[in-house]
Amino acid sequence: MNLSSLLAAIPGAISQGILWGVMALGVYTTYRILNTSDLTVDGSFATGGCVVAVCLVNGIDPILSLVIALIAGMLAGAITGFLHTKCEIPAILAGILTQLGLYSINLRIMGRSNTPLLKVDTMFSKAQDMISLPSQYVGIMIGAVIVVVIVGLMYWFYGTEIGSAIRATGNNERMVRSLNVNTQMTKMLGFMIANGLVALSGALVAQSQGYADVKQGTGAIVIGLASIIIGEVVCGKKGHFMYRLSSIVLGSILYRVIVALVLQMGLSTDDLKLLTAFLVAIALTIPVMIEKRNQRNRYKASIDG
């Protein structure tokens, strides 16, 4: 393993980690805030990439393309929310159904399975022309600005009355319903916000890597969960809401850095999904082991006392 190549891979990993961190924030919305599992992610991530690719190829401004991709993701989330709240389909199954349908929709959007973006202007190519820096550092700069804005907006929104109702729905739905809050509406909004962020991440990744593919979202939900869990293990689950949101992005960056380092050590790309499963399993196990150790220590302390 060459140390120089190892260090050279880290900026690119950080750049990708920040962009995928937006997706992890979307997964966090359903997984932690709504306390449910939404498997729409694999489909809506690809939807964001497909929509932004078609927009860019047709001459639409890169930033406006991101907005359109965000709206497309919110529509995908609305479908899952409708199936779950109105049709009373379990959230996991509703997400699977939407994800399944999105594959065909994404093919319809692009008209093919893959669309290259090497000959069109993207946010990243324009910024690189302006500041003349390597693409990895341009990705870090753009991603950092976008993540700061998104985290700030999420912190503000979830402090409003509607945002607080969404958080309360995930904590205690019956209590919220007893206060005459329409929990179907709060769930619907949660699914829309989550998948809007996921699609936005897919659009950013597509612009960054220079192509969009209908299969680019495969395994996105696992990567999102890995980012959340790694962030919580490193930073802890407690703390200010802004702190917890920031820890998710940090978890995404750490995940990408770990993957880059392992690849530089000679791991085959065919084994990446196995590595992801291993990392998630370890990250889920560590808090359990720590809690068991703390319980044993408290038990011993109570006996000694």
Side-chain angles (χ1 to χ4, degrees):
M1 180 176 60
N2 191 324
L3 181 60
S4 60
S5 62
L6 189 65
L7 295 175
I10 291 180
I14 294 174
S15 173
Q16 287 298 303
I18 294 174
L19 300 181
W20 282 81
V22 178
M23 182 272 297
L25 290 170
V27 175
Y28 179 82
T29 299
T30 51
Y31 182 63
R32 288 297 189 211
I33 295 178
L34 279 182
N35 196 25
T36 188
S37 298
D38 178 22
L39 300 184
T40 314
V41 173
D42 287 17
S44 56
F45 186 89
T47 298
C50 294
V51 169
V52 83
V54 172
C55 290
L56 291 175
V57 169
N58 285 279
I60 298 177
D61 181 76
I63 297 178
L64 180 58
S65 300
L66 293 179
V67 176
I68 296 173
L70 172 69
I71 295 172
M74 294 182 73
L75 291 175
I79 295 173
T80 301
F82 176 82
L83 293 175
H84 177 53
T85 59
K86 300 299 182 181
C87 301
E88 298 185 1
I89 298 175
I92 292 179
L93 183 55
I96 292 173
L97 292 174
T98 306
Q99 176 198 139
L100 187 65
L102 282 175
Y103 183 83
S104 296
I105 293 174
N106 293 338
L107 280 173
R108 289 282 186 177
I109 290 173
M110 288 203 302
R112 51 184 173 176
S113 62
N114 185 289
T115 299
L117 300 175
L118 299 177
K119 296 183 179 180
V120 298
D121 289 330
T122 66
M123 288 177 58
F124 300 89
S125 63
K126 287 185 174 181
Q128 192 171 5
D129 291 339
M130 292 174 59
I131 58 181
S132 299
L133 284 175
S135 58
Q136 303 96 316
Y137 297 101
V138 171
I140 292 174
M141 293 173 59
I142 294 177
V145 172
I146 292 174
V147 163
V148 167
V149 172
I150 291 174
V151 169
L153 287 175
M154 290 182 70
Y155 177 74
W156 166 79
F157 175 76
Y158 284 111
T160 63
E161 185 175 346
I162 297 176
S164 298
I166 295 174
R167 295 172 68 180
T169 300
N171 289 330
N172 193 329
E173 184 177 347
R174 289 185 178 180
M175 181 274 292
V176 174
R177 196 180 296 118
S178 69
L179 298 175
N180 293 324
V181 175
N182 186 345
T183 55
Q184 291 189 347
M185 182 270 291
T186 56
K187 286 182 179 181
M188 179 74 78
L189 282 175
F191 281 112
M192 291 177 67
I193 292 169
N195 285 282
L197 290 174
V198 171
L200 177 61
S201 177
L204 288 168
V205 170
Q207 288 201 40
S208 173
Q209 64 190 10
Y211 70 92
D213 192 284
V214 292
K215 294 182 179 180
Q216 73 181 64
T218 303
I221 181 64
V222 180
I223 296 173
L225 292 175
S227 302
I228 293 171
I229 295 164
I230 291 172
E232 289 178 346
V233 169
V234 173
C235 302
K237 293 183 180 181
K238 297 181 180 180
H240 201 268
F241 186 57
M242 176 75 78
Y243 176 79
R244 296 202 299 273
L245 292 176
S246 302
S247 71
I248 296 164
V249 180
L250 176 62
S252 177
I253 294 172
L254 290 175
Y255 168 79
R256 286 292 165 183
V257 170
I258 292 171
V259 169
L261 294 179
V262 173
L263 287 176
Q264 288 296 320
M265 293 171 63
L267 181 73
S268 171
T269 54
D270 295 335
D271 297 328
L272 277 180
K273 293 189 184 302
L274 178 62
L275 173 64
T276 301
F278 179 76
L279 288 175
V280 173
I282 292 295
L284 286 171
T285 303
I286 290 175
V288 175
M289 300 302 294
I290 293 175
E291 180 60 27
K292 286 184 177 180
R293 186 191 63 183
N294 292 337
Q295 288 178 356
R296 286 195 299 268
N297 292 338
R298 286 193 295 266
Y299 178 73
K300 289 179 181 179
S302 64
I303 293 178
D304 295 339

